[in-house]
Amino acid sequence: EAGKVSVKIRMHPFFQHLVDGQETIEVEGKNVGQCLTSLVSRFPGLKAELFDKRGQLRSYIEIYLNNESTYPEELNHRVADGDELSIVVMAVGG
């Protein structure tokens, strides 16, 4: 179907129990935010793990696109068909 952008999301092991143990999940979206919205609509348990109450990405979550950080655009960062997103959990505390 024209205009559909299919993206794979690679799940951090920390979250795999929330997505039936899957390592990669295929979603659709034109930017990172749409892809993550598609992901949490299928796996609602992820929402509170990835987003705060304002709908912003949590400070310890970073999204990589084809192994490069999407910061600072993050949710607005555009994706292309066949791209791969990785959900990275930054080390917290110290």
Side-chain angles (χ1 to χ4, degrees):
E1 191 176 327
K4 283 239 169 120
V5 175
S6 176
V7 173
K8 281 193 171 65
I9 298 184
R10 186 174 293 281
M11 299 303 300
H12 189 280
F14 191 71
F15 299 128
Q16 286 177 13
H17 69 285
L18 295 169
V19 294
D20 306 327
Q22 297 177 82
E23 285 181 30
T24 56
I25 295 163
E26 206 153 304
V27 298
E28 287 172 358
K30 291 186 177 6
N31 61 31
V32 171
Q34 287 180 8
C35 292
L36 293 180
T37 298
S38 170
L39 180 69
V40 298
S41 70
R42 281 163 56 194
F43 302 101
L46 274 174
K47 190 168 187 178
E49 300 287 343
L50 299 180
F51 297 101
D52 63 21
K53 289 182 175 64
R54 301 190 326 275
Q56 303 294 311
L57 268 184
R58 292 198 177 276
S59 57
Y60 54 84
I61 300 290
E62 193 156 355
I63 307 297
Y64 279 71
L65 172 62
N66 302 327
N67 297 319
E68 294 197 15
S69 175
T70 59
Y71 190 83
E73 298 132 326
E74 290 187 312
L75 297 179
N76 294 320
H77 201 294
R78 293 189 69 76
V79 295
D81 200 49
D83 277 351
E84 184 176 272
L85 296 175
S86 300
I87 297 176
V88 178
V89 180
M90 311 305 276
V92 182

